[in-house]
């Protein structure tokens, strides 16, 4: 099969690799219908994260089930499915508490930028998409496998409530999906922080009521100005840098919440400063599987259309261009078709 492999920073190749097979009776193998490049893939692509050797790329997928292990009972060959980037049994105490990305049997699902993918713990990881699904829904279903679920978790972690004022820090795919989540949860005012006109336009389409282009202290000052000097009820941090975290904390009112889902790189938080701020923090790898059934139904019902974050579509063979375009911010998110 054809699959992407990262050999070194900015060296993505599409190569022939063995078709995955069932390794455990709880596995499934799916034929990938659509996959994509994630913003978190860029940490490796840029060399921020060390890559020890040739590494298969991708962790977002929608596909058709080809084969299932002998212990798989809920997923059948021929079904269209979407799953999370972490496999989970969906039955352990952590899963039952809604944190499938901390499942006691969790396993990362990598190598999804490929024609076929092995998915461990298939019954607990994959969600069947019912009915005869039109091709037009595939981008939004693919977004649910990570960025929409991650944006949703940012809003859940920040305890967004009807009537709230919400700030979204980050205008990548996760941040834009977080705008959708805040709108769906009833936020009255949604302030998207973005300096890029196409992303600002999409943020407004998704439900943003205000745009703030300033950054750092100026950005915080602008948020305070918009909120009568108080700060936001909830801030959704969707970047993962020290600057984005500081901006998020300083934009939140005392007693407010920050939901942080950007993978942290170089983030340090001063305990004393946090203590006196009365701001609550919650985040981590989004338990996408907890939200998938609901998000899939919202897509099929036409309530949300997160697939609009894909502004570049390429065949799998041109995956390197997808990485390059996202790295250069010429694209928000690149969809790949095997």
């Amino acid at each position: 099969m054809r699959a992407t492999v990262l050999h070194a920073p900015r060296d993505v190749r599409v190569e022939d690799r063995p078709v995955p097979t069932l390794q455990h009776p709880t596995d499934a193998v799916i034929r990938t219908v659509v996959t994509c490049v994630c913003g978190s893939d860029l940490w490796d692509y840029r060399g921020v994260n060390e890559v020890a050797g040739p590494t298969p790329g991708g962790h977002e997928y929608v596909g058709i089930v080809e084969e299932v292990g002998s212990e798989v009972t809920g997923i059948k060959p021929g079904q269209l499915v979407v799953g999370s980037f972490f496999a989970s049994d969906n039955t352990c105490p952590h899963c039952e508490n809604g944190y499938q990305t901390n499942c006691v049997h969790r396993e990362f699902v990598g190598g999804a930028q490929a024609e076929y993918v092995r998915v461990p713990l298939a019954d607990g990881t994959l969600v069947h998409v019912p009915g005869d699904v039109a091709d037009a829904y595939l981008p939004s279903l693919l977004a649910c496998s990570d960025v929409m679920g991650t944006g949703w978790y940012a809003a859940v972690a920040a305890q967004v409530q009807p009537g709230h004022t919400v700030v979204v820090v980050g205008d990548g795919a996760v941040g834009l999906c977080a705008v959708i989540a805040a709108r769906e949860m009833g936020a009255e005012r949604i302030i998207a922080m973005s300096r890029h006109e196409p992303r600002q336009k999409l943020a407004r389409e998704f439900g943003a009521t205000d745009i703030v282009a300033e950054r750092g202290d100026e950005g915080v000052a602008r948020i305070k100005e918009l909120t009568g000097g108080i700060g936001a009820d909830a801030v959704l941090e969707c970047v993962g840098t020290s600057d984005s975290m500081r901006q998020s904390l300083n934009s939140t009112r005392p007693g407010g919440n920050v939901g942080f889902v950007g993978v942290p790189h170089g983030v340090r938080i001063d305990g004393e400063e946090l203590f006196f701020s009365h701001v609550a923090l919650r985040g981590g790898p989004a338990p996408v599987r907890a939200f998938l059934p609901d998000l899939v139904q919202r897509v099929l019902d036409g309530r949300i259309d997160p697939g609009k974050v894909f502004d570049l579509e390429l065949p799998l063979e041109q995956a390197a261009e997808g990485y390059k375009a996202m790295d250069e911010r010429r694209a928000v998110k690149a969809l790949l078709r095997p």
Side-chain angles (χ1 to χ4, degrees):
M1 70 170 184
R2 303 293 282 167
T4 66
V5 180
L6 179 65
H7 284 261
R10 292 183 168 80
D11 182 8
V12 172
R13 309 175 197 176
V14 179
E15 303 177 344
D16 287 319
R17 292 183 60 83
V19 175
T21 58
L22 300 175
Q23 297 181 16
H24 304 287
T26 52
D27 288 351
V29 172
I30 68 170
R31 174 175 56 82
T32 310
V33 177
V34 283
T35 182
C36 56
V37 182
C38 184
S40 63
D41 294 332
L42 298 181
W43 294 112
D44 295 345
Y45 180 76
R46 293 166 174 162
V48 177
N49 294 341
E50 183 179 354
V51 179
T55 305
H59 52 265
E60 299 156 282
Y61 54 94
V62 173
I64 304 293
V65 178
E66 290 283 304
E67 187 179 8
V68 298
S70 60
E71 295 181 13
V72 177
T73 59
I75 297 296
K76 300 177 182 179
Q79 290 180 333
L80 181 70
V81 293
V82 56
S84 170
F85 48 85
F86 267 114
S88 57
D89 60 26
N90 213 28
T91 60
C92 81
H94 298 325
C95 289
E96 290 184 344
N97 285 326
Y99 285 86
Q100 285 87 339
T101 40
N102 250 310
C103 174
V104 297
H105 298 118
R106 73 176 180 178
E107 183 177 337
F108 185 68
V109 182
Q113 292 165 2
E115 293 178 308
Y116 294 89
V117 183
R118 180 183 75 88
V119 180
L121 303 171
D123 276 336
T125 304
L126 297 173
V127 172
H128 172 219
V129 183
D132 186 12
V133 178
D135 186 77
Y137 287 103
L138 292 178
S140 283
L141 292 172
L142 178 60
C144 291
S145 74
D146 184 350
V147 292
M148 186 63 240
T150 298
W152 194 269
Y153 176 57
V156 169
Q159 299 181 9
V160 173
Q161 302 292 326
H164 269 182
T165 293
V166 177
V167 171
V168 178
V169 177
D171 63 358
V174 172
L176 291 167
C177 287
V179 171
I180 295 176
R183 181 199 68 199
E184 289 291 293
M185 293 181 192
E188 182 175 309
R189 192 174 194 182
I190 303 170
I191 305 169
M193 305 198 77
S194 173
R195 292 176 290 186
H196 303 272
E197 186 175 350
R199 300 179 188 218
Q200 293 174 351
K201 181 179 178 181
L202 189 53
R204 286 195 180 277
E205 185 177 344
F206 282 167
T209 57
D210 302 86
I211 302 292
V212 169
E214 293 86 351
R215 289 291 181 270
D217 292 340
E218 291 182 358
V220 172
R222 181 64 178 139
I223 295 298
K224 291 293 181 69
E225 180 184 347
L226 290 171
T227 57
I230 301 302
D233 300 300
V235 177
L236 315 185
E237 194 284 315
C238 303
V239 182
T241 65
S242 178
D243 288 344
S244 63
M245 180 61 83
R246 173 161 291 278
Q247 186 162 273
S248 298
L249 289 170
N250 290 340
S251 298
T252 310
R253 66 167 174 81
N257 300 281
V258 173
F260 64 103
V261 295
V263 181
H265 286 76
V267 175
R268 297 291 182 269
I269 298 171
D270 182 272
E272 185 175 350
E273 181 179 351
L274 182 63
F275 180 79
F276 284 103
S277 73
H278 280 122
V279 171
L281 284 171
R282 183 183 295 278
V288 170
R289 180 59 181 81
F291 314 127
L292 264 179
D294 177 52
L295 293 178
V296 166
Q297 195 58 54
R298 287 173 193 258
V299 167
L300 297 180
D301 290 345
R303 287 186 58 178
I304 62 174
D305 189 8
K308 289 182 179 180
V309 299
F310 294 105
D311 53 352
L312 177 63
E313 182 173 325
L314 297 166
L316 179 63
E317 291 291 333
Q318 296 179 27
E321 170 56 23
Y323 276 84
K324 189 170 187 290
M326 288 177 62
D327 179 44
E328 297 172 352
R329 293 185 71 82
R330 291 184 286 110
V332 175
K333 193 166 178 65
L335 183 144
L336 305 174
R337 290 188 183 264

